[in-house]
């Protein structure tokens, strides 16, 4: 099933506008609120075989997609299409954060980010070799987790004091017990096998107060993917993701001791809920040095992540500058205290 959103004024295809948060017609400029958009102007086309091949309802061209794609555009007429059958039942997202940064704003933010690369080649900093920039709704699972942690440890407190000609060190030992109930809400884990997990993790945080009930018009004009992994399959990963925060809280709960030796630590994390959501990401493909570099941008906040190329000359100069500055500082300290620095 291919879904088109037709402009009530001129009949052209409408797309989601990240600036206004409304459906927008590029032909006549009309804008419509998604919540109030009439079904009368939503057209659908059904095919016998809807696994990977669809037909554009606008021009009739064949649309070939990967099985995981849920929204795309027609390569012939450019119409935004949403593959509705891939967004139903268990594949229907519960929530979505719409794009708030449009393509032009994303490019400008990327250029600004490139200019901050003090150790990148001069050619890279101009950001003029962008091969492509694509807005993608990435599938995520948002977990609410309950964790119970029981800790059995021995803590020490050390006091040093002087009596007469002697210096005494007094060490006291304490049995330490902690029974903790911890809750983590909206912990995101990307559910697409195509996208790099580390890259997606670094895009955080998103402002989840802007989560909206999922409606297909938000996808119009963008690419969207459906999840490849269920919340159960990714549960071990989300537990690994929150483990450092659990450890940090346990450490903070036994603060005040000179040392702490753990005898027993039991941590049990359970899933309370998991919601399937779509989060906005701009993927930037950059050609430089005969190699394609991939960067990602948070489509809500504009945060850019990725590994830019490094200029070995700039890196060497930077370390040389640090070494020279350190030498000068040490030289100054040496003269100040009357010493000699060789």
């Amino acid at each position: 099933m291919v879904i088109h959103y037709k402009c009530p004024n001129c009949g052209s295809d409408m797309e989601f506008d990240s600036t206004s948060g409304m459906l927008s017609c590029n032909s006549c400029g009309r804008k419509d609120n998604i919540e109030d958009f009439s079904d009368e102007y939503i057209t659908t086309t059904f095919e016998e075989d809807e696994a990977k091949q669809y037909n554009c309802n606008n021009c009739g061209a064949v649309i070939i997609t990967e099985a995981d794609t849920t929204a795309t555009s027609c390569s012939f007429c450019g119409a935004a299409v949403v593959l509705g059958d891939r967004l139903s039942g268990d594949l229907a997202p519960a929530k979505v954060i719409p794009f708030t940064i449009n393509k032009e704003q994303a490019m400008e933010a990327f250029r600004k980010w490139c200019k901050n690369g003090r150790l990148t080649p001069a050619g890279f900093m101009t950001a003029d070799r962008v091969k492509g920039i694509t807005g993608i709704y990435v599938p995520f699972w948002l977990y609410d987790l309950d964790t119970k942690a029981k800790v059995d440890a021995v803590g020490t407190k050390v006091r040093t004091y002087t009596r007469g000609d002697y210096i005494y060190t007094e060490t006291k030992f304490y049995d330490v017990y902690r029974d903790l109930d911890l809750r983590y809400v909206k912990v995101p884990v990307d559910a697409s096998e195509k996208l790099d997990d580390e890259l997606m993790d670094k895009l955080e945080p998103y402002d989840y107060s802007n989560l909206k009930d999922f409606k297909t018009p938000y996808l119009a004009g963008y690419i969207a993917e459906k999840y490849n992994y269920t919340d159960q399959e990714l549960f071990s990963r989300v537990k690994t993701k929150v483990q450092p925060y659990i450890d940090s809280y346990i450490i903070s709960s036994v603060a005040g001791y000179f040392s702490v030796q753990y005898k027993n630590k039991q941590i049990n994390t359970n899933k309370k809920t998991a919601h399937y959501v779509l989060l906005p990401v701009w993927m930037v493909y950059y050609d430089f040095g005969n190699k394609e570099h991939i960067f990602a941008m948070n489509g809500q906040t504009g945060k850019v992540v990725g590994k830019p190329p490094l200029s070995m000359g700039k890196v060497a100069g930077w370390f040389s500058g640090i070494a020279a500055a350190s030498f000068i500082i040490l030289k100054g300290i040496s003269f100040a205290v009357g010493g000699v620095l060789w």
Side-chain angles (χ1 to χ4, degrees):
M1 178 174 63
V2 177
I3 303 175
H4 287 273
Y5 300 90
K6 295 294 184 180
C7 175
N9 276 352
C10 65
S12 297
D13 289 283
M14 304 184 77
E15 298 181 358
F16 176 71
D17 176 34
S18 60
T19 303
S20 64
M22 305 173 76
L23 275 174
S24 175
C25 176
N26 292 327
S27 296
C28 69
R30 177 186 173 112
K31 295 184 184 298
D32 281 275
N33 191 305
I34 289 176
E35 304 293 334
D36 302 327
F37 196 73
S38 173
D39 292 343
E40 177 185 354
Y41 301 103
I42 302 175
T43 63
T44 60
T45 301
F46 293 87
E47 293 296 312
E48 292 182 2
D49 181 7
E50 295 184 329
K52 293 185 179 181
Q53 178 174 314
Y54 296 79
N55 284 90
C56 176
N57 195 45
N58 196 53
C59 67
V62 173
I63 301 171
I64 304 296
T65 73
E66 295 186 20
D68 300 327
T69 302
T70 57
T72 185
S73 60
C74 176
S75 58
F76 289 89
C77 70
V81 295
V82 179
L83 310 181
D85 60 309
R86 298 179 181 177
L87 293 165
S88 60
D90 292 338
L91 298 178
K95 300 283 185 178
V96 60
I97 292 182
F99 277 87
T100 57
I101 297 174
N102 62 33
K103 191 172 185 177
E104 291 73 24
Q105 292 170 329
M107 273 302 305
E108 182 60 32
F110 181 71
R111 292 190 185 99
K112 184 177 180 181
W113 180 78
C114 286
K115 291 179 182 179
N116 292 330
R118 297 181 180 178
L119 299 181
T120 58
F124 178 85
M125 296 174 69
T126 60
D128 60 355
R129 302 182 186 181
V130 173
K131 182 180 178 181
I133 178 167
T134 305
I136 301 177
Y137 279 104
V138 178
F140 277 77
W141 288 103
L142 282 187
Y143 293 85
D144 287 354
L145 305 171
D146 283 334
T147 295
K148 294 187 179 297
K150 293 186 178 181
V151 175
D152 183 5
V154 175
T156 64
K157 291 187 177 182
V158 178
R159 182 171 73 97
T160 301
Y161 59 93
T162 302
R163 262 186 204 168
D165 296 331
Y166 296 95
I167 299 175
Y168 295 89
T169 299
E170 177 185 80
T171 302
K172 293 184 178 181
F173 295 85
Y174 298 85
D175 289 326
V176 179
Y177 300 97
R178 296 290 185 270
D179 191 348
L180 305 173
D181 287 324
L182 306 176
R183 186 183 180 193
Y184 298 90
V185 296
K186 294 183 174 63
V187 182
V189 176
D190 78 278
S192 171
E193 64 181 359
K194 298 178 185 177
L195 299 170
D196 183 82
D197 292 339
E198 182 180 358
L199 205 61
M200 294 299 103
D201 286 347
K202 289 180 178 178
L203 286 173
E204 299 172 29
Y206 284 88
D207 181 0
Y208 296 116
S209 66
N210 290 327
L211 278 169
K212 297 183 180 297
D213 291 336
F214 175 74
K215 292 183 182 297
T216 54
Y218 287 119
L219 308 189
Y222 297 92
I223 291 176
E225 298 286 315
K226 68 179 180 65
Y227 67 82
N228 299 110
Y229 304 104
T230 67
D231 60 310
Q232 289 294 339
E233 291 172 324
L234 292 178
F235 185 55
S236 61
R237 183 164 175 248
V238 75
K239 287 201 299 182
T240 300
K241 192 171 184 178
V242 300
Q243 188 61 48
Y245 300 97
I246 296 172
D247 292 337
S248 177
Y249 190 86
I250 290 174
I251 291 172
S252 70
S253 75
V254 295
Y257 293 98
F258 178 79
S259 67
V260 177
Q261 182 178 359
Y262 295 98
K263 296 192 295 183
N264 187 30
K265 188 189 294 185
Q266 297 179 2
I267 299 173
N268 186 24
T269 299
N270 294 299
K271 179 186 72 176
K272 187 175 181 182
T273 60
H275 297 292
Y276 174 35
V277 303
L278 297 179
L279 302 183
V281 177
W282 285 105
M283 298 300 297
V284 183
Y285 305 93
Y286 194 105
D287 277 337
F288 188 83
N290 298 320
K291 182 180 178 181
E292 183 180 78
H293 301 267
I294 299 177
F295 303 91
M297 178 187 297
N298 185 313
Q300 182 191 41
T301 67
K303 179 182 180 181
V304 181
V305 298
K307 295 181 180 179
L310 295 178
S311 167
M312 292 301 102
K314 286 186 177 181
V315 171
W318 185 78
F319 278 109
S320 297
I322 293 293
S326 300
F327 179 82
I328 293 172
I329 293 172
L330 291 174
K331 190 82 170 178
I333 294 174
S334 174
F335 282 124
V337 298
V340 177
L341 181 65
W342 297 97

